[in-house]
Amino acid sequence: MVAMVSSTVATAVLLAVLGTDACFSFVAPTSSSVPSSLRHRNPIKAAAAAIASHNITCSSSSSFWDDPLRIASLPDPPSSELLALIREKPYRGGFEPAIDADGPYEPRIVYGSIPSDLVGTLASNGAGRIRVGNTQYGHWFDGDGFVSLLSLDGKANRAVFNGRYIRSGRFKAQQQLMERLRRQESDNAEALADPPLAFSGAWTKRGKGEWYENIGRIPTNPANTATMWLESSSDATSAHTAPKLYALCEGGHPIQLDPKTLDVMKDERPLVSSDGSTAVGSFFSAHFKRCPVTGEIYNHGFLIRPGPLPKEMNVMRLSSRGELLQQEKSSLPFDCLTHDSAMSSNYLVFFLPPYYIAKDKIFSLMSGTATLGNMVEWHEDDKAFVQIVSKDDLKLKWRIELPETTSLYHLVDAHEVESDEHGSICLKVRIAEHEPMDRIALERQFADQYRVTEGERINAILKEYTFHLEGNGNGSFVSKRTVAEDSALCEFPVVNSAYRPKDRRRYCWVNALSDPTGEWLDGLQKVDMKLGSSSRVVDFGPGTFAGPPTFIPREKMGAEDDGYVLVTVYKALEHRSDIVVLDAASLETLCIMELRHHLPFQFHADYMSDS
């Protein structure tokens, strides 16, 4: 009787904290229904144990976000205001803080089986949290990096999952600050609910955001955008023969992670040449390109050039093991951050939208009155450019002014053919161009993902640009067209670059909207870029939202679309994620793996085959 009263009191306390409008059903745990390892005398702990053993369940019409006990079990539950926003639009729960896995575990296969030739490891990266307590970061792209590993053994129909925050310097500083606050302010809940930040980000101010807390502060690297696998050393005597795993973000240098535990092995530092004499002389973009013929890596990096200094980016070539082979500075028309590139047989292509830092803005950063990200402004009346760099010597060969402006994050591919006997080249480049092209609204929605108003979401549509390139350095814009008129609004395009590398890509897979009025990407679409047609958008049921696709070719690939597409699916009503394997040709679901927790919406992944 005492236990029942205590449980009722515990429930009443949680309802008082989280609101009485939540609908839930409570099945009191009994000695027979709760494993001995989960029994607690403390009624709150008993409630948490019951949740873990499925003894507390929502009514059929409710969701995770209607259950106060399950919400209270989160390490950093949302405030009542944030909870109301998530209940209003459940996709917002996908931005809630990630939970470290207790260690590697086998996700439950709830549908189908893992294809037998799918043997390797997928490493994904994204913003694991964009808030600490009620203190929100200034931008989605400032979130703390959270890397997940999915090791697949299709021969044994077995998978192993692990996921952890990257223990970067800034992450550890914030954790240490929170521990001090807990010790010093144990009787002051407000200090923990609205904590100061121990770091500055590209869009996020340190402390409580006061100017004097941010004087001279350089933005820290969130390491949240992508992962990169590198081949092991070719030296048979080397003590480190396992492949190397890195977390990437263009706001800094790579961070090396243990490929099994995800512990930080080497905090951020530039990659170097084989003899260690030369280091990469810039930041390292998240969108490296791996040559499908040589295995070499091409990338570019941001160079901070304040005020009147020349505007440049660094273009680099590295071995398949990550050893710097060559780098070359390339001039820019303005101080823009170039997120992505496309690689053809002989060239690297960069689109430069007029989204850049004005010359006089850098002083606002140094004075602590502005963040670096907020100094980047959209200049819609300025020209946009395309820059084309040779893969051979990394030198700038053509800079072409576009007849109208463009805005984008991601490119799809680039393909070149000689167009006449004089060596002129026809270069075709496909991109995911923002639609509608409102960069100010786009950055505003990314600055606060919880409060995007209806009808404001900006996504992208696939476009093809054609350029005429002459051997004397002259180049010109030829045309622009929509790749497939029936394609959905989308983002995060991927292609199979390994199939017949010198041929033009025919297929593209995108993270797409199943409904044009939808407010977050929820599906997957295959686009036939040759025929200009698209598949239907495959979604994963009500209340689910899909993440960026990863294409993995079959072991014995016979066609360009002969492979698999992996996506992470956030199930908002359960606040949990699945990983889904689909046939790349037909988009038929082959396997669904159920994770224990949710995986916040991620950005990019890299797959390493065991072969």
Side-chain angles (χ1 to χ4, degrees):
M1 180 64 179
V2 173
M4 290 179 64
V5 171
S6 298
S7 297
T8 303
V9 171
T11 303
V13 170
L14 290 169
L15 280 171
V17 172
L18 295 168
T20 56
D21 57 336
C23 172
F24 71 99
S25 61
F26 176 61
V27 181
T30 65
S31 58
S32 62
S33 63
V34 180
S36 60
S37 61
L38 296 177
R39 295 176 199 154
H40 300 281
R41 293 183 179 180
N42 184 307
I44 299 293
K45 290 183 178 179
I51 292 168
S53 58
H54 303 287
N55 287 291
I56 294 176
T57 59
C58 292
S59 67
S60 59
S61 61
S62 65
S63 76
F64 178 97
W65 301 110
D66 293 324
D67 189 326
L69 290 173
R70 295 167 78 186
I71 295 168
S73 72
L74 296 172
D76 188 1
S79 66
S80 57
E81 180 209 357
L82 211 55
L83 179 58
L85 291 170
I86 294 170
R87 286 172 174 166
E88 178 190 15
K89 299 185 186 300
Y91 79 86
R92 293 168 173 160
F95 295 103
E96 280 293 273
I99 299 174
D100 278 337
D102 293 333
Y105 68 88
E106 293 190 26
R108 190 163 66 101
I109 297 175
V110 297
Y111 177 84
S113 60
I114 302 169
S116 61
D117 61 343
L118 198 52
V119 181
T121 302
L122 180 72
S124 305
N125 200 353
R129 67 182 183 190
I130 55 175
R131 67 172 182 85
V132 178
N134 297 333
T135 305
Q136 281 187 227
Y137 298 177
H139 200 285
W140 186 25
F141 297 168
D142 253 348
D144 293 305
F146 187 92
V147 168
S148 64
L149 287 179
L150 181 70
S151 297
L152 298 162
D153 184 354
K155 293 181 173 63
N157 194 34
R158 179 174 179 263
V160 176
F161 178 86
N162 196 8
R164 292 189 74 200
Y165 284 100
I166 298 168
R167 266 54 179 184
S168 61
R170 67 176 243 168
F171 181 85
K172 290 189 292 185
Q174 188 63 40
Q175 296 302 91
Q176 291 164 3
L177 173 59
M178 297 303 292
E179 286 301 319
R180 287 199 301 272
L181 288 175
R182 289 186 185 99
R183 291 194 301 268
Q184 298 168 5
E185 308 287 348
S186 58
D187 59 344
N188 185 354
E190 291 184 8
L192 289 170
D194 298 285
L197 296 179
F199 65 91
S200 61
W203 290 266
T204 304
K205 287 188 176 183
R206 182 177 179 271
K208 288 289 189 177
E210 301 293 343
W211 65 270
Y212 52 81
E213 298 173 292
N214 291 274
I215 294 177
R217 293 283 177 178
I218 301 299
T220 52
N221 177 11
N224 64 11
T225 316
T227 55
M228 178 176 68
W229 288 105
L230 293 180
E231 287 183 3
S232 58
S233 171
S234 59
D235 182 1
T237 64
S238 173
H240 302 286
T241 57
K244 297 178 181 179
L245 175 64
Y246 292 86
L248 307 180
C249 177
E250 49 252 47
H253 301 293
I255 295 178
Q256 187 178 354
L257 304 176
D258 185 297
K260 293 183 178 179
T261 66
L262 295 177
D263 291 333
V264 172
M265 296 179 66
K266 294 180 182 177
D267 210 342
E268 67 168 312
R269 63 182 68 181
L271 298 173
V272 298
S273 57
S274 58
D275 61 4
S277 63
T278 308
V280 170
S282 66
F283 290 156
F284 194 83
S285 171
H287 279 284
F288 66 94
K289 301 299 175 186
R290 187 178 279 119
C291 179
V293 178
T294 66
E296 291 179 334
I297 291 170
Y298 291 83
N299 206 356
H300 60 283
F302 184 55
L303 288 162
I304 299 177
R305 290 289 185 261
L309 294 177
K311 311 308 174 190
E312 297 173 317
M313 68 175 174
N314 189 38
V315 184
M316 65 202 81
R317 180 169 63 92
L318 304 97
S319 73
S320 59
R321 297 182 296 277
E323 300 156 341
L324 178 64
L325 301 174
Q326 186 181 5
Q327 59 184 335
E328 188 78 27
K329 291 183 175 61
S330 185
S331 66
L332 296 171
F334 33 65
D335 202 6
C336 62
L337 178 62
T338 307
H339 181 65
D340 195 6
S341 66
M343 181 171 66
S344 68
S345 295
N346 296 291
Y347 301 103
L348 298 170
V349 183
F350 302 90
F351 273 63
L352 308 177
Y355 185 61
Y356 62 86
I357 302 173
K359 292 181 179 180
D360 59 344
K361 292 291 183 179
I362 196 67
F363 302 107
S364 299
L365 174 67
M366 303 311 295
S367 66
T369 58
T371 63
L372 181 66
N374 289 330
M375 292 190 304
V376 184
E377 297 177 343
W378 177 241
H379 302 263
E380 63 180 341
D381 295 329
D382 286 7
K383 298 294 185 181
F385 297 88
V386 168
Q387 293 203 168
I388 302 160
V389 170
S390 168
K391 288 172 59 181
D392 181 44
D393 60 10
L394 303 185
K395 293 186 181 298
L396 176 62
K397 300 301 181 183
W398 296 275
R399 178 187 291 159
I400 300 171
E401 182 180 301
L402 297 180
E404 56 186 27
T405 196
T406 186
S407 176
L408 73 160
Y409 282 124
H410 300 115
L411 289 85
V412 181
D413 69 339
H415 183 71
E416 69 200 61
V417 293
E418 287 195 5
S419 59
D420 60 34
E421 67 276 9
H422 302 295
S424 295
I425 295 168
C426 176
L427 178 70
K428 293 182 178 291
V429 187
R430 291 179 285 215
I431 70 172
E433 190 169 69
H434 291 143
E435 177 67 31
M437 203 177 296
D438 187 344
R439 190 60 178 255
I440 295 173
L442 177 69
E443 296 302 325
R444 184 171 60 246
Q445 71 186 31
F446 285 176
D448 189 351
Q449 293 283 23
Y450 294 108
R451 296 174 179 83
V452 177
T453 58
E454 191 169 350
E456 192 178 341
R457 281 288 175 194
I458 310 295
N459 286 292
I461 191 164
L462 301 182
K463 297 286 186 176
E464 179 186 89
Y465 283 76
T466 301
F467 303 97
H468 178 72
L469 310 176
E470 298 180 8
N472 60 6
N474 291 328
S476 59
F477 166 87
V478 176
S479 64
K480 171 186 171 182
R481 69 177 186 90
T482 300
V483 172
E485 294 291 347
D486 63 346
S487 62
L489 290 171
C490 65
E491 251 298 353
F492 302 110
V494 294
V495 297
N496 177 6
S497 59
Y499 181 75
R500 295 182 180 175
K502 293 187 180 297
D503 290 354
R504 194 175 191 208
R505 300 304 88 189
R506 175 172 180 173
Y507 300 112
C508 173
W509 293 264
V510 295
N511 195 181
L513 274 177
S514 63
D515 180 345
T517 64
E519 294 184 275
W520 191 253
L521 299 167
D522 63 343
L524 176 69
Q525 186 174 51
K526 178 186 178 184
V527 181
D528 186 327
M529 299 185 290
K530 180 179 180 180
L531 296 181
S533 61
S534 305
S535 73
R536 69 177 182 86
V537 176
V538 173
D539 63 32
F540 302 92
T544 63
F545 302 92
T550 300
F551 178 89
I552 301 172
R554 288 187 193 271
E555 191 174 294
K556 297 180 180 179
M557 179 172 48
E560 186 182 332
D561 58 353
D562 193 6
Y564 311 102
V565 175
L566 270 65
V567 294
T568 300
V569 176
Y570 174 60
K571 305 182 80 170
L573 299 182
E574 300 176 37
H575 192 48
R576 194 187 52 70
S577 296
D578 290 339
I579 297 178
V580 182
V581 182
L582 301 99
D583 181 279
S586 65
L587 299 189
E588 175 191 357
T589 297
L590 303 176
C591 182
I592 300 176
M593 290 165 276
E594 185 178 85
L595 301 184
R596 294 174 181 171
H597 301 292
H598 91 295
L599 201 54
F601 297 122
Q602 297 188 300
F603 296 130
H604 302 289
D606 195 23
Y607 178 77
M608 178 191 66
S609 170
D610 280 7
S611 62

